[in-house]
Amino acid sequence: MMEPTHEEAHGGALGSRLNWLRAAVLGANDGIVSTAGIVVGVAGATQSRSALLTAGLAGLLAGSMSMAAGEYVSVSTQRDSEMAALAVERQELREQPEAELRELTTLLEERGLSREVAGEAAEQLTARDPLKAHARVELGIDPEELTNPWHAAWASFLAFTVGALLPLLAIVLPPADWRLGVTVGSVLAALVLTGSASARLGSADPKRAVLRNAVGGALAMGVTYAAGRLLGAAGV
């Protein structure tokens, strides 16, 4: 029998929405940093707008597809695990309903209900929908809201693409003399926003998150720009 989890089920819908928002913010952040690193690195070696556009688009497409594929595989694995756990629970309910009722009573009792109230609640939940009751209380799963890998893949793809468009447009649209400054400034500003948003979604300190985000992005651009300059000077 699977070990029961003790996650709160009543906050599942809100928690799911927050997870999606957090994933979108982090996906956009990845798009900003990775694409900025690519275009700034190329800008260190050449001022060619076509080269910058080609490198930026390649980074955007490769990154967004990679994010989507990775998220699809990850969430598909999670969904398969949820469905397998539900299948086990369904079989146990069919083969040993009394033992499952006692288990549900114990789980509810562990959450603070008296033995009498827990028993009554377990009986009522079992009468309505035994699988849903055990899935939520024992497994922390809502059978009606299983994770969708396609939703996750499209969300990651779009989030990364939106984030990647900022440094790409910032490096190709301004005049040559302004490109680097505009790109660095816009990227750092965007990282401040995504760092603050991710911190607030996670109830963390925004100042520390913003600082980590900005320093990480600045370091990535600095390293790739230096590499581009060295390669450009060497005629590579």
Side-chain angles (χ1 to χ4, degrees), residues 9-233:
H10 57 74
L14 176 60
S16 178
R17 286 194 295 270
L18 288 177
N19 285 336
W20 282 112
L21 287 172
R22 189 176 295 111
V25 170
L26 295 177
N29 191 80
D30 287 344
I32 294 169
V33 174
S34 61
T35 307
I38 292 172
V39 296
V40 168
V42 175
T46 178
Q47 290 294 318
S48 170
R49 180 178 272 111
S50 62
L52 292 169
L53 180 60
T54 300
L57 280 176
L60 184 154
L61 292 173
S64 59
M65 294 300 294
S66 176
M67 287 284 291
E71 196 69 16
Y72 179 84
V73 171
S74 174
V75 176
S76 293
T77 301
Q78 179 182 344
R79 184 182 178 88
D80 290 344
S81 298
E82 291 174 345
M83 294 181 68
L86 289 174
V88 171
E89 198 61 41
R90 192 179 289 110
Q91 180 179 357
E92 290 176 345
L93 285 167
R94 184 172 58 252
E95 296 178 353
Q96 43 187 352
E98 294 183 359
E100 289 297 296
L101 179 61
R102 290 194 298 271
E103 181 183 37
L104 183 58
T105 300
T106 301
L107 289 171
L108 292 173
E109 190 176 7
E110 290 176 355
R111 294 192 174 194
L113 299 180
S114 67
R115 184 69 180 178
E116 181 179 354
V117 174
E120 183 178 350
E123 290 178 359
Q124 292 182 10
L125 290 171
T126 300
R128 292 178 183 176
D129 191 330
L131 180 61
K132 180 182 290 187
H134 280 266
R136 288 181 170 178
V137 177
E138 181 180 349
L139 305 175
I141 299 174
D142 187 342
E144 298 176 356
E145 295 185 8
L146 295 181
T147 52
N148 188 312
W150 284 110
H151 290 172
W154 278 111
S156 295
F157 179 89
L158 292 174
F160 187 98
T161 300
V162 170
L165 282 173
L166 174 67
L168 176 59
L169 295 177
I171 202 72
V172 299
L173 293 182
D177 293 341
W178 293 12
R179 286 174 187 165
L180 190 60
V182 170
T183 302
V184 172
S186 59
V187 165
L188 291 179
L191 292 177
V192 168
L193 292 177
T194 56
S196 176
S198 62
R200 295 185 186 281
L201 287 170
S203 301
D205 181 7
K207 293 180 181 179
R208 296 180 62 185
V210 166
L211 181 61
R212 286 195 302 264
N213 233 24
V215 170
L219 182 61
M221 289 186 288
V223 169
T224 55
Y225 181 75
R229 291 287 289 181
L230 289 173
L231 291 173

